[in-house]
Amino acid sequence: MEHMTFDELLKINCFSDNNLEKAEASNLLELRYCCEIHCADMDSSVLFAHHARGCTIVAAKLCRNVVIYQNVTIGSNMKYNKAKKEWENIGSPILAENVIVADGAKVLGPVIIGANTVIAAGAMITKNIPANSIAYGVNRYKPKDPNYDYVFNPDMITGEEIMKVDKVRVAEFDKKQSE
């Protein structure tokens, strides 16, 4: 496994029936990419941008075509009720089809994120979010404009194209600064 790619390690970590292989792949993912990925049910089409760097993913279910960016946390939000001597708010998130979770977002607790929803960069979500929404801030959301894809589209712009645009922007910025 020493020379396996991120995608090869991810496949073993998430889909292998061999517990020893899974453990080794999990350790290598954490060592190389600083990520931890454990899902009760994960579709094989799930994508992790930037090799899931800095991610901790503990989900009940990640459905088809979910995309997760770097430094994302998906996990539990349990609390122990001392008076009742029992755990509350048990469970991990379920992300429906085509959900995108942007950089640094947190999705915590037994919540359901509806299909075609985008979780914005830096968002903190601990409540259910309806389908076709943009979730942002702390548990805030609004309807998603159906005419746009946000953060990700399978026909992504290349890094080279972005750098060309940025070069023009920097030149314009520098010109304004010198005036």
Side-chain angles (χ1 to χ4, degrees):
M1 281 192 209
E2 193 61 34
H3 300 290
M4 287 186 166
T5 66
F6 172 82
D7 290 330
E8 291 168 330
L9 291 170
L10 178 70
K11 185 176 180 180
I12 293 168
N13 179 67
C14 297
F15 302 109
S16 176
D17 291 328
N18 183 322
N19 288 334
L20 290 175
E21 278 187 349
K22 282 177 95 161
E24 186 177 351
S26 177
N27 287 337
L28 286 170
L29 285 169
E30 190 165 352
L31 178 69
R32 291 184 193 165
Y33 303 101
C34 298
C35 69
E36 179 181 355
I37 303 169
H38 301 284
C39 297
D41 185 357
M42 183 172 107
D43 191 85
S44 62
S45 66
V46 172
L47 294 176
F48 290 92
H50 309 288
H51 300 110
R53 291 206 188 274
C55 288
T56 299
I57 310 298
V58 181
K61 184 175 182 73
L62 299 177
C63 293
R64 191 170 54 87
N65 298 324
V66 165
V67 178
I68 298 172
Y69 279 78
Q70 69 273 13
N71 297 314
V72 166
T73 300
I74 297 174
S76 69
N77 191 20
M78 303 184 303
K79 59 186 175 186
Y80 185 74
N81 185 323
K82 293 178 182 179
K84 293 182 180 179
K85 296 186 182 340
E86 63 185 33
W87 285 96
E88 297 176 352
N89 209 40
I90 299 169
S92 301
I94 295 173
L95 279 60
E97 291 183 356
N98 306 313
V99 168
I100 297 169
V101 186
D103 316 26
K106 312 290 183 239
V107 181
L108 304 171
V111 299
I112 297 174
I113 307 301
N116 308 307
T117 290
V118 174
I119 308 297
M124 172 68 79
I125 305 301
T126 61
K127 307 282 184 193
N128 291 341
I129 302 294
N132 303 303
S133 296
I134 295 178
Y136 60 97
V138 178
N139 293 323
R140 299 194 64 194
Y141 66 91
K142 62 184 180 180
K144 187 170 88 171
D145 184 334
N147 296 311
Y148 288 92
D149 282 336
Y150 300 90
V151 186
F152 178 82
N153 177 284
D155 186 24
M156 290 297 285
I157 188 170
T158 67
E160 291 80 17
E161 291 171 298
I162 294 170
M163 291 186 69
K164 284 179 188 176
V165 169
D166 283 345
K167 188 173 184 176
V168 171
R169 292 182 62 244
V170 167
E172 291 170 358
F173 173 83
D174 288 346
K175 183 179 176 185
K176 286 181 182 179
Q177 293 299 309
S178 65
E179 294 175 355

